[in-house]
Amino acid sequence: MNSQPLKIALFGNVYQTQKNRYVEAIVRMLHKLEAEISVEATFAGFLTTRLNLSLEGCKVIQPGTPLGDFALAISVGGDGTFLNTAARIGSSGVPILGINTGRLGFLADVSPDDIAPALRRLCEGDYVIEPHSVLAVEIDGKPFDLRPFALNEVAVLKHDNSSLIEIETTVNGELLNHYMADGLIVCTPTGSTGYSLSVGGPIIVPRSGTLCLSAVAPHSLATRPVVMCDDVEIALRVHSRSGNFLLSADGHSQSLAEGCTITIKRAAHTVGVVKIKHQSYFETLREKMMWGADGRG
């Protein structure tokens, strides 16, 4: 155990009451391990009002509070909650441990059954931190207000009631393609097992120094995902019959008018993902994708 209390920031899902029944055990265990716990304000309000959970001995992280003093952050939920935690952590360098109370859980990979031993090893320093690349997204040279950084992906998408859109795509100023599709996804290796995978994109090994462009329902069968080094600058200009489109970063979207330029490039910072089990990415893939499992009844 460290001589100084481990300062931990706790974040969580505020929409699914049933999945937060593990939080009390997490807080109790961290107190037992003499960690200093601070709970994000919205999550703290949810826990006290909806779950009647006492947060005695815990501090509350108010909006805008700098997080650089924390040793670690814990995200309780699924991968969506992890992405929201990463957005709040920003460029502070605080690594994140994901406790998975969601579904698949590539980022949040500690199962509820493993909470106690995982937290014990966390407080003992028995873990590794994997740096994951992040995308920076700008609109006409200014950071995207809704979410300026994305750990998984940035996407331009048509509105539900509009026809397909044309996405003029350049890489380092050179034209790549005029995509005619429902949308275009630019993903990191971390995000390759998310939205991009669902539209036929490849699985990319983390820390490979690459990113991928995958079209959503392209008009041409010749359109295929493109993988490239992540030191490039990608610019997107959207032309839409309705005059507008959606810009999404890690699932948070905003309607924009056509004519603006979306710029996407690798951010200067990374997000540290805490791994307790020390298992390889290929082990995680086999487990999550059920590769090699006999599905016969």
Side-chain angles (χ1 to χ4, degrees):
M1 200 74 65
N2 296 325
S3 57
Q4 294 293 326
L6 192 67
K7 294 186 66 173
I8 293 177
L10 187 62
F11 297 81
N13 187 315
V14 299
Y15 300 106
Q16 297 169 313
T17 304
Q18 182 65 20
K19 292 181 179 180
N20 279 297
R21 65 184 185 277
Y22 304 104
V23 176
E24 186 173 6
I26 293 169
V27 172
R28 189 187 313 115
M29 184 70 180
L30 288 174
H31 278 314
K32 184 178 179 180
L33 294 168
E34 299 179 354
E36 182 180 309
I37 312 165
S38 296
V39 186
E40 186 272 327
T42 303
F43 190 44
F46 171 82
L47 295 175
T48 55
T49 58
R50 295 288 300 276
L51 299 186
N52 296 317
L53 177 63
S54 172
L55 294 179
E56 183 178 356
C58 299
K59 299 178 181 179
V60 176
I61 304 171
Q62 299 297 338
T65 301
L67 302 176
D69 289 340
F70 289 97
L72 292 156
I74 295 177
S75 170
V76 185
D79 281 355
T81 305
F82 192 103
L83 294 174
N84 289 335
T85 302
R88 179 65 178 87
I89 291 297
S91 59
S92 67
V94 178
I96 308 169
L97 172 70
I99 296 178
N100 183 28
T101 59
R103 296 184 180 88
L104 196 56
F106 273 93
L107 290 167
D109 66 348
V110 174
S111 70
D113 293 338
D114 293 330
I115 287 175
L119 294 181
R120 187 175 296 107
R121 291 172 65 178
L122 186 75
C123 291
E124 292 172 351
D126 183 16
Y127 59 88
V128 295
I129 300 174
E130 295 181 350
H132 286 235
S133 60
V134 177
L135 297 174
V137 54
E138 296 180 346
I139 306 170
D140 291 334
K142 297 180 180 179
F144 182 31
D145 288 338
L146 187 63
R147 185 155 289 196
F149 300 106
L151 178 59
N152 261 12
E153 78 276 316
V154 177
V156 292
L157 304 164
K158 72 169 188 174
H159 277 280
D160 290 340
N161 60 352
S162 65
S163 58
L164 53 76
I165 55 178
E166 178 185 351
I167 309 152
E168 179 186 330
T169 305
T170 62
V171 180
N172 288 341
E174 181 180 354
L175 179 66
L176 171 65
N177 194 5
H178 285 270
Y179 289 94
M180 301 295 291
D182 284 358
L184 181 68
I185 302 166
V186 181
C187 78
T188 65
T190 305
S192 70
T193 51
Y195 192 7
S196 177
L197 183 65
S198 73
V199 300
I203 294 175
I204 306 175
V205 177
R207 303 183 302 285
S208 60
T210 57
L211 51 78
C212 180
L213 283 74
S214 300
V216 181
H219 187 62
S220 171
L221 291 176
T223 302
R224 290 292 181 265
V226 179
V227 178
M228 63 187 70
C229 292
D230 66 1
D231 59 355
V232 299
E233 181 174 290
I234 298 170
L236 310 176
R237 288 179 63 87
V238 178
H239 306 281
S240 168
R241 189 174 297 176
S242 66
N244 51 36
F245 65 97
L246 293 175
L247 174 62
S248 172
D250 281 349
H252 290 251
S253 60
Q254 180 177 313
S255 180
L256 298 177
E258 66 173 2
C260 61
T261 299
I262 310 300
T263 305
I264 302 166
K265 57 187 175 181
R266 185 184 64 206
H269 69 278
T270 59
V271 168
V273 179
V274 175
K275 296 293 183 179
I276 297 290
K277 296 179 180 179
H278 308 325
Q279 69 183 36
S280 73
Y281 182 70
F282 300 129
E283 287 179 287
T284 301
L285 273 181
R286 291 197 301 272
E287 176 186 332
K288 302 299 183 181
M289 305 295 286
M290 299 182 68
W291 287 349
D294 189 346
R296 294 172 293 182

